[in-house]
Amino acid sequence: RFDRARRARVAAGLRAELGFAAGDVVVVLAGSGFGRKGLGELLEALALARQRRPELRGMVVGYDSSIAAYRERARRLGLAQA
């Protein structure tokens, strides 16, 4: 059965564990084959959108053999974690 209070507690705990603030809006890409799934385009769009909506955050879950290049691209766009 759905318990709104429990869901809020679990969500708040997970956000804190992952380093997101309560007001952050998180965009998630999950899987592998990041190029095929458009991660490069997502990074560009997220960097652009954050100019107007600084509360936007991105999270990538999964693995791709080009992950280092995507991390570098995210860093250049100002999206990498500090």
Side-chain angles (χ1 to χ4, degrees):
R1 181 178 168 130
F2 181 75
D3 180 338
R4 189 175 307 270
R6 180 177 179 279
R7 183 203 173 280
R9 284 191 311 274
V10 170
L14 183 57
R15 282 179 170 273
E17 182 180 329
L18 294 172
F20 296 114
D24 287 345
V25 176
V26 183
V27 177
V28 178
L29 182 142
S32 59
F34 296 157
R36 189 178 71 249
K37 293 194 174 159
L39 179 56
E41 292 83 357
L42 176 61
L43 294 174
E44 299 287 337
L46 189 56
L48 185 62
R50 287 192 66 197
Q51 293 175 11
R52 290 183 180 243
R53 300 281 309 268
E55 72 277 12
L56 290 174
R57 301 288 181 265
M59 185 171 97
V60 177
V61 180
Y63 179 79
D64 185 282
S65 60
S66 301
I67 196 163
Y70 287 111
R71 284 183 176 148
E72 175 57 24
R73 190 170 181 181
R75 187 196 63 74
R76 283 194 323 270
L77 291 168
L79 300 174
Q81 284 183 327

